[in-house]
């Protein structure tokens, strides 16, 4: 691991391009408002998609924010350096994103009424997406071979630590009806249905017409064209989309194009062992590699 590119925060690896000790202290001391909405994800699980969706849902489908504000300022990451710079420009209800595990949320979050939407994605597709991201992002170490990256992923020696720890921390969150769990796969399969769930959860009462408009704006092909959301504003020497676009494929199951049967078996057995006793079921549980 290259020194200087990463820092450790409570044992979690974070990229210094976006996080400093000051930004992490800022996140810890952040004053959460009851009306805040947090989009929570393990990296590569659909964060950018939710940074498009949630402002639209909260604004009744008004396209202005997603057409004029880059996603990182529209729904800033709580733990990143930019939040302190843009938070005063957010209108209420504020939408914020975070990759933090539950226990590292700001102290004021736990006593607030803020809502959370937690998006989980098949960890195999998360790993594939992350692998390609490491190839195009110059501020991250080269991922090495797929085999080497899988080893790091399963050991949690990747951004924000182990996928299993992150998912479990938020599944055990004591938040009652303040939290909505959804999967990337459900969103991909039925975006309209997901939007209705978000609208109900956030009390937005969106019309079917508004939901149609939001679904149109948020579909992969349209988001890919939106310079406020496709990371094309980031200079190529920082994110090189010729190596891999940020909005890369946007599908479920791309892992089947990357894993050998042996890798799939090893990956599944490590994840299953770490999720044992959780009694969680996910849409991808019945999939296996076809040989
Ligand atoms: N609209 C839409 N539909 C379907 N899929 C989408 C959409 N927007 C983003 N994506 C896909 O999400 C993956 C990136 O994840 P994140 O946005 O969480 O990345 S990050 O954590 O913010 O770096 C990345 O997945 P992969 O394509 O598998 O690499 C993106 O393509």
């Amino acid at each position: 691991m290259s020194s200087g590119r990463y820092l450790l925060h409570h044992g979690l690896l974070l990229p210094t391009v976006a996080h400093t000790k000051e930004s992490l202290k800022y996140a810890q001391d952040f004053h959460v408002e009851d009306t805040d909405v947090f989009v929570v994800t393990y990296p590569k699980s659909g964060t950018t998609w939710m940074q498009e969706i949630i402002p639209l849902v909260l604004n009744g489908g008004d396209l202005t924010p997603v057409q004029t504000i880059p996603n990182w300022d529209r729904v800033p990451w709580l733990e990143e350096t930019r939040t302190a710079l843009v938070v005063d420009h957010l209108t209420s209800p504020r939408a914020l994103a975070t990759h933090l595990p539950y226990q590292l949320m700001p102290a004021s979050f736990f006593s607030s009424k803020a809502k959370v939407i937690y998006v989980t994605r098949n960890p195999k597709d998360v790993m594939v997406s992350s692998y390609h991201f490491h190839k195009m992002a110059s501020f991250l170490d080269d991922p090495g071979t797929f085999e080497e990256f899988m080893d790091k992923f399963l050991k949690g020696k990747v951004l924000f630590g182990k996928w299993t720890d992150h998912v479990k921390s938020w599944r055990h969150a004591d938040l009652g009806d303040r939290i909505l769990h959804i999967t990337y796969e459900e969103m991909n399969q039925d975006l309209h249905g997901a939007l209705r769930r978000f609208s109900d959860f956030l009390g937005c009462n969106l019309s079917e017409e508004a939901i149609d408009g939001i679904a149109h704006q948020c579909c992969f092909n349209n988001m890919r064209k939106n310079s406020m959301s496709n990371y094309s504003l980031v200079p190529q020497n920082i994110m090189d989309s010729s190596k891999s676009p940020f909005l890369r494929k946007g599908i479920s199951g791309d892992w089947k194009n990357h894993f050998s049967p042996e890798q799939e078996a090893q990956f599944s057995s490590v994840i299953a062992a770490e999720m044992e006793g959780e009694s969680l079921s996910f849409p991808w549980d019945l999939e296996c590699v076809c040989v």
Side-chain angles (χ1 to χ4, degrees):
M1 191 199 314
S2 296
S3 62
R5 282 188 171 162
Y6 302 99
L7 59 80
L8 275 179
H9 179 54
H10 295 271
L12 302 179
L13 206 59
L14 271 53
T16 49
V17 72
H19 309 81
T20 58
K21 293 233 174 307
E22 291 73 31
S23 75
L24 295 163
K25 171 90 174 71
Y26 175 87
Q28 182 56 40
D29 296 341
F30 188 78
H31 178 69
V32 174
E33 294 177 0
D34 285 343
T35 48
D36 287 344
V37 178
F38 285 89
V39 166
V40 186
T41 51
Y42 183 82
K44 300 296 156 197
S45 301
T47 328
T48 317
W49 200 0
M50 293 297 283
Q51 288 171 317
E52 193 91 348
I53 290 174
I54 295 307
L56 288 166
V57 170
L58 291 174
N59 292 325
D62 176 4
L63 297 180
T64 313
V66 297
Q67 289 178 339
T68 57
I69 310 172
N71 64 300
W72 52 80
D73 285 351
R74 194 191 310 138
V75 183
W77 277 269
L78 176 65
E79 61 275 17
E80 289 200 354
T81 47
R82 284 200 64 79
T83 303
L85 306 175
V86 300
V87 73
D88 289 340
H89 303 299
L90 299 177
T91 51
S92 182
R94 304 183 301 187
L96 295 131
T98 184
H99 291 317
L100 290 173
Y102 180 60
Q103 68 277 10
L104 295 186
M105 288 296 279
S108 65
F109 167 79
F110 298 100
S111 56
S112 77
K113 294 181 181 153
K115 291 189 173 175
V116 172
I117 301 179
Y118 187 89
V119 185
T120 315
R121 186 181 189 187
N122 184 338
K124 291 175 194 157
D125 284 333
V126 166
M127 195 195 105
V128 167
S129 182
S130 187
Y131 175 74
H132 289 284
F133 183 57
H134 278 70
K135 283 184 178 283
M136 64 91 81
S138 66
F139 53 88
L140 299 175
D141 284 353
D142 184 274
T145 64
F146 191 74
E147 184 85 24
E148 287 164 349
F149 190 68
M150 183 172 116
D151 186 57
K152 282 194 226 165
F153 185 88
L154 290 175
K155 289 182 173 142
K157 293 182 177 173
V158 286
L159 304 181
F160 287 88
K162 276 189 188 177
W163 178 89
T164 47
D165 287 344
H166 200 277
V167 170
K168 284 193 272 188
S169 82
W170 281 98
R171 286 284 169 168
H172 290 299
D174 185 15
L175 294 175
D177 59 7
R178 283 172 53 200
I179 187 164
L180 172 71
H181 285 280
I182 194 158
T183 62
Y184 175 97
E185 290 69 18
E186 288 171 293
M187 290 167 59
N188 236 340
Q189 196 174 19
D190 179 10
L191 184 54
H192 281 75
L195 294 173
R196 279 185 213 107
R197 286 176 68 187
F198 299 148
S199 170
D200 289 349
F201 177 65
L202 299 174
C204 295
N205 201 20
L206 292 180
S207 66
E208 278 305 305
E209 193 187 352
I211 286 180
D212 280 347
I214 296 173
H216 178 75
Q217 175 68 26
C218 296
C219 74
F220 184 74
N221 286 335
N222 284 340
M223 270 188 65
R224 249 191 156 182
K225 290 184 224 149
N226 183 0
S227 63
M228 293 294 142
S229 308
N230 63 12
Y231 282 86
S232 59
L233 298 177
V234 177
Q236 200 177 8
N237 64 332
I238 299 177
M239 284 191 187
D240 188 350
S241 59
S242 70
K243 291 185 179 160
S244 177
F246 187 96
L247 273 89
R248 193 182 57 90
K249 283 197 180 173
I251 58 169
S252 306
D254 191 36
W255 65 268
K256 291 173 192 165
N257 298 315
H258 290 77
F259 283 68
S260 69
E262 293 76 22
Q263 288 167 340
E264 193 278 331
Q266 188 202 347
F267 190 100
S268 292
S269 105
V270 171
I271 299 287
E274 294 191 4
M275 296 303 272
E276 200 181 339
E278 291 297 318
S279 58
L280 292 173
S281 64
F282 293 110
W284 54 84
D285 283 343
L286 297 175
E287 287 182 339
C288 67
V289 82
C290 301
V291 283

